Amino acid sequence: MSGRSTTEIRPVFGPDSLLFGIGNCSRSDDGLGWAFLDRVLQGADFPGQSEYRYQLGVEDAALVARADRVIFVDSYNGPLEDGYAWQPCEASDEFEFTSHVLPPRAVMHYCRDLYAKHPPADILMISGECWDLQNGLSEAAGKNLEKAINFFRAMMA
């Protein structure tokens, strides 16, 4: 997977866009989704709603059903060509259901099945390398976060 140039993708973000930051800031780079959301909200340039999540649940399908566009941001355990990757998030009923973890594609599936809604959705994955019980991002994750933030802000411009 690799990052993509902003000329390839130009989603429209409005007041009914929904941005999920997924992760746990107490597990080092697992907090990349939250750190991304913190930075975007500091800049006050995202016009939509934002939600912090440790993990996604079935109830998130109700929020997604009210959105015009959805972006899921999460850490990725492994290398990504540009330190981040942006890709479409398609609804899928092929996932392992547990009481604690639901992937974005499953949330989109429940949104479609329960609410008959299917807003466009994307996933922004940011590469991390440390998952220890500690606060703060690794140096590599911090650099990848900067790249992902710059990419996202360029799309909103």
Side-chain angles (χ1 to χ4, degrees):
M1 290 180 225
S2 68
R4 300 171 89 181
S5 76
T6 56
T7 57
E8 294 176 41
I9 314 162
R10 281 280 184 201
V12 176
F13 301 108
D16 292 324
S17 296
L18 179 59
L19 180 63
F20 281 102
I22 307 163
N24 182 345
C25 59
S26 296
R27 293 193 54 96
S28 193
D29 296 350
D30 191 39
L32 276 162
W34 286 23
F36 181 90
L37 212 55
D38 286 346
R39 292 286 303 280
V40 168
L41 296 177
Q42 283 174 352
D45 46 4
F46 183 71
Q49 305 170 43
S50 57
E51 294 287 334
Y52 290 83
R53 291 289 186 270
Y54 284 105
Q55 61 256 335
L56 297 169
V58 175
E59 61 277 3
D60 289 317
L63 288 174
V64 169
R66 295 191 300 263
D68 288 341
R69 171 167 290 282
V70 182
I71 305 98
F72 299 95
V73 182
D74 202 356
S75 59
Y76 182 80
N77 188 357
L80 296 169
E81 185 177 323
D82 297 319
Y84 68 91
W86 175 275
Q87 65 184 37
C89 179
E90 297 298 330
S92 174
D93 61 358
E94 295 184 21
F95 57 89
E96 180 180 328
F97 180 81
T98 70
S99 61
H100 298 292
V101 178
L102 204 58
R105 68 184 181 277
V107 172
M108 297 306 296
H109 164 75
Y110 284 123
C111 178
R112 183 184 63 204
D113 281 8
L114 296 173
Y115 302 100
K117 302 283 185 173
H118 193 260
D122 298 288
I123 301 173
L124 176 60
M125 295 172 288
I126 307 171
S127 183
E129 63 181 23
C130 179
W131 314 99
D132 297 335
L133 286 173
Q134 64 185 27
N135 288 322
L137 301 174
S138 69
E139 184 177 340
K143 290 178 182 177
N144 293 337
L145 174 62
E146 285 302 315
K147 293 176 193 176
I149 289 287
N150 291 337
F151 168 80
F152 191 73
R153 287 191 171 140
M155 279 197 304
M156 290 193 303

